[in-house]
Amino acid sequence: MTSFKSDFLQVMQSRGFIHQCSDLETLDAKLSSGPQSAYIGFDATAKSFHVGNLVQIMMLYWFQQTGNKPYTLMGGGTTKVGDPSGKDEMRKMLTDEAIDDNITALQNVFAQFLTYGSGETDAVMVNNDEWLKDIQYIPFLRDFGKHFSINRMLTFESVKQRLDREQSLSFLEFNYMILQGYDFVELNKRHDVILQMGGSDQWGNILNGVELGRKSAQAELFALTTPLITTSSGAKMGKTADGAVWLSKDMLPAYDYYQFWRNCDDADVGRFLKIFTTLPISEIDRLEKLEGQEINEAKKILAFEATKLCHDEQSATDAAKTALEVFEKGGTGDELPSIAYDKSTLEQGVAFIDITCDLGLTKSKGEARRIIQQGGAKVNDNPIADPAHTISTADFSDDGQVKISTSKKKHALVLVKSA
RNA sequence: GGAGGGAUGGUCGAGUGGUUAAUGGCACCGGAUUGUAAAUCCGGCUCCUUCGGGAUACGCAGGUUCAAAUCCUGCUCCCUCCA
């Protein structure tokens, strides 16, 4: 399994996207015979994707870049059911409106990575609610239910885990895998989609679709999964101090997104460059060889490229500039989070702990006090020790701002509200 | 429907009448060290506070007691076995 004929699989292979595939050879032949369609299903449980979804999105990106047609399937219908994979407890039920809102928001995130439209290789958005909502129970059971073996379903990891842990698995959730399999068949029927991709945790679910396609429609379908991307310390990707690393600007500013990548582990740099940037492999090979202090250069490139992809070049440049100012020169930058107060308010002084809470740097005043006591708090880079410290007009520099910090990495600006 | 087991802080998991804002692990936060890395070490981890304290908290609602996460009653949810 060294080289593929199709561009897509070559890219996937060389960048480390491939974990499992149902039939690489036949798939390769198909892909090199002309444009094909593939899809990845996404949940509609949140308003934005986070970096955990990024591998999948990148896979679609490359699929499109190599001349194929990607489909993004929104699980409007299946979200109502809930995927038991990797969940300890039953998911909260979302209302239809909430799901629709989420889908609208998610489309904007996709649009950063994929080109939508009606052209030959333009991406298409579909929602499985379209065909799931009108399913007739009895005909569905008769046509598709007969192809599923409970014996086999019980051996699935997602189901087994729940049973082993003595956690309830509702019939509703148990049906998730059937519906997901049905999605694949339906997409094949409607749009000639022949490939479903996803994370390795979706392997079982995807295979169900492949099998269902064969049994119910004699269709030849393929499954391709990515490895589960974890940090070298073994943690799942996507969580930081303040929660998930969201891909949408509204949920996470570009500067913070940049910082997330900038702060990755040494050991992850090469892998991440391959998966989360579009730099040529040859360039990545070079960067990967950097060691010690020099690896920081590679991290900056990773952060810049990743930010450029997800947001835009300007945001990436700004974020990089701010990071440079703040971390290497000890100054300030435009992209730091900031908050403005009225002049009159500032003349009376505002408590440091109130400012950090307003900015969201601390969750409570108690936490802010603790940080001060432990020496993490600084005003204009001067440590403060008094929990009751206030910021007033005297602290402002000539350009009308005060830099406050709650740790070596978290900085923000206080400004005067312009009338 | 019957019998038994269970629900503790972000999570896992101790605690079975008072010194328990609740042991410990993980996660997380601040510091030291460093390279905005890892590893390590130190400190912290309910909220408010004029730093004296105050207010909430062990599934939910009542009760017993000077005193309850711990005992009693009812309810909700989960698990196991039986039907």
Side-chain angles (χ1 to χ4, degrees):
Chain A
M1 205 49 69
T2 42
S3 72
F4 294 104
K5 281 174 281 173
S6 62
D7 291 345
F8 176 65
L9 285 181
Q10 258 195 25
V11 173
M12 289 295 98
Q13 166 98 330
S14 60
R15 289 188 170 261
F17 278 88
I18 298 179
H19 181 247
Q20 282 174 294
C21 179
S22 56
D23 183 353
L24 271 174
E25 258 169 69
T26 319
L27 179 62
D28 189 38
K30 277 251 181 195
L31 284 164
S32 48
S33 72
Q36 301 292 337
S37 300
Y39 89 99
I40 296 180
F42 295 90
D43 245 2
T45 40
K47 276 201 278 302
S48 171
F49 292 118
H50 49 80
V51 284
N53 306 110
L54 194 52
V55 194
Q56 270 70 256
I57 298 176
M58 286 308 293
M59 198 151 55
L60 286 178
Y61 168 85
W62 286 113
F63 192 70
Q64 183 168 50
Q65 293 301 309
T66 52
N68 296 289
K69 194 173 180 66
Y71 283 80
T72 46
L73 174 74
M74 297 313 303
T78 32
T79 297
K80 292 176 194 164
V81 177
D83 179 5
S85 311
K87 295 284 168 196
D88 291 348
E89 281 168 48
M90 212 171 129
R91 269 192 199 168
K92 288 189 193 84
M93 295 283 189
L94 292 171
T95 62
D96 287 8
E97 297 84 71
I99 292 174
D100 286 344
D101 282 356
N102 287 344
I103 290 177
T104 314
L106 291 174
Q107 286 181 340
N108 294 326
V109 179
F110 275 130
Q112 279 295 326
F113 296 88
L114 302 171
T115 312
Y116 283 88
S118 49
E120 204 190 348
T121 64
D122 283 342
V124 176
M125 179 78 81
V126 280
N127 183 341
N128 64 8
D129 201 36
E130 261 178 59
W131 53 84
L132 291 182
K133 69 168 188 254
D134 293 325
I135 280 183
Q136 302 277 309
Y137 195 57
I138 298 298
F140 182 77
L141 281 182
R142 202 183 48 209
D143 294 340
F144 297 97
K146 67 177 176 192
H147 296 302
F148 287 91
S149 144
I150 292 282
N151 310 46
R152 209 166 93 67
M153 283 163 76
L154 287 175
T155 68
F156 273 61
E157 206 39 50
S158 54
V159 174
K160 230 166 46 186
Q161 266 183 23
R162 285 283 274 271
L163 295 178
D164 288 351
R165 291 197 206 166
E166 302 191 345
Q167 279 158 342
S168 165
L169 175 70
S170 69
F171 183 65
L172 179 76
E173 291 171 288
F174 193 61
N175 271 276
Y176 186 88
M177 57 177 88
I178 294 178
L179 293 179
Q180 189 172 334
Y182 176 67
D183 279 346
F184 199 174
V185 174
E186 194 63 28
L187 278 168
N188 177 254
K189 222 180 278 174
R190 292 176 180 226
H191 304 288
D192 272 326
V193 171
I194 59 155
L195 169 65
Q196 181 181 178
M197 307 188 283
S200 57
D201 55 329
Q202 293 299 312
W203 180 245
N205 284 342
I206 296 176
L207 276 187
N208 262 333
V210 172
E211 227 163 85
L212 185 64
R214 196 180 62 231
K215 286 179 182 165
S216 72
Q218 289 79 50
E220 188 174 30
L221 305 177
F222 299 90
L224 178 66
T225 57
T226 57
L228 183 66
I229 306 295
T230 54
T231 65
S232 59
S233 43
K236 253 194 179 177
M237 286 273 299
K239 296 283 179 192
T240 64
D242 308 307
V245 180
W246 300 104
L247 300 187
S248 113
K249 212 166 199 160
D250 305 335
M251 311 263 297
L252 189 79
Y255 172 73
D256 291 321
Y257 189 73
Y258 179 94
Q259 282 299 314
F260 168 74
W261 295 106
R262 180 61 248 267
N263 283 317
C264 81
D265 287 10
D266 286 9
D268 292 327
V269 174
R271 209 156 41 102
F272 285 2
L273 278 167
K274 282 183 193 153
I275 294 177
F276 300 111
T277 76
T278 56
L279 288 175
I281 293 287
S282 54
E283 174 73 3
I284 293 174
D285 283 343
R286 186 182 69 77
L287 292 169
E288 219 175 355
K289 293 207 177 68
L290 297 174
E291 274 178 18
Q293 174 104 238
E294 290 188 330
I295 204 164
N296 281 318
E297 288 313 308
K299 287 189 190 179
K300 281 183 205 168
I301 293 171
L302 169 66
F304 177 80
E305 291 294 325
T307 308
K308 188 171 95 179
L309 256 182
C310 180
H311 298 290
D312 55 73
E313 180 144 16
Q314 188 58 47
S315 309
T317 311
D318 291 347
K321 211 175 95 193
T322 295
L324 183 80
E325 288 289 330
V326 173
F327 288 101
E328 293 178 32
K329 298 184 184 163
T332 61
D334 298 338
E335 297 300 303
L336 286 179
S338 67
I339 189 165
Y341 293 97
D342 288 328
K343 197 167 183 207
S344 54
T345 315
L346 283 164
E347 271 159 6
Q348 290 165 20
V350 185
F352 183 86
I353 56 174
D354 287 331
I355 296 176
T356 60
C357 287
D358 288 348
L359 276 161
L361 290 173
T362 51
K363 285 191 219 69
S364 67
K365 293 183 188 177
E367 187 187 351
R369 285 194 191 91
R370 253 175 260 134
I371 285 173
I372 293 172
Q373 275 156 12
Q374 300 194 117
K378 290 177 186 163
V379 173
N380 288 328
D381 296 316
N382 300 312
I384 58 171
D386 179 11
H389 190 95
T390 58
I391 303 289
S392 62
T393 41
D395 295 304
F396 280 81
S397 60
D398 296 337
D399 48 352
Q401 59 185 28
V402 179
K403 179 186 178 190
I404 62 171
S405 318
T406 52
S407 79
K408 285 191 296 187
K409 288 190 195 175
K410 283 192 230 153
H411 309 279
L413 299 176
V414 181
L415 310 166
V416 186
K417 201 175 273 179
S418 51

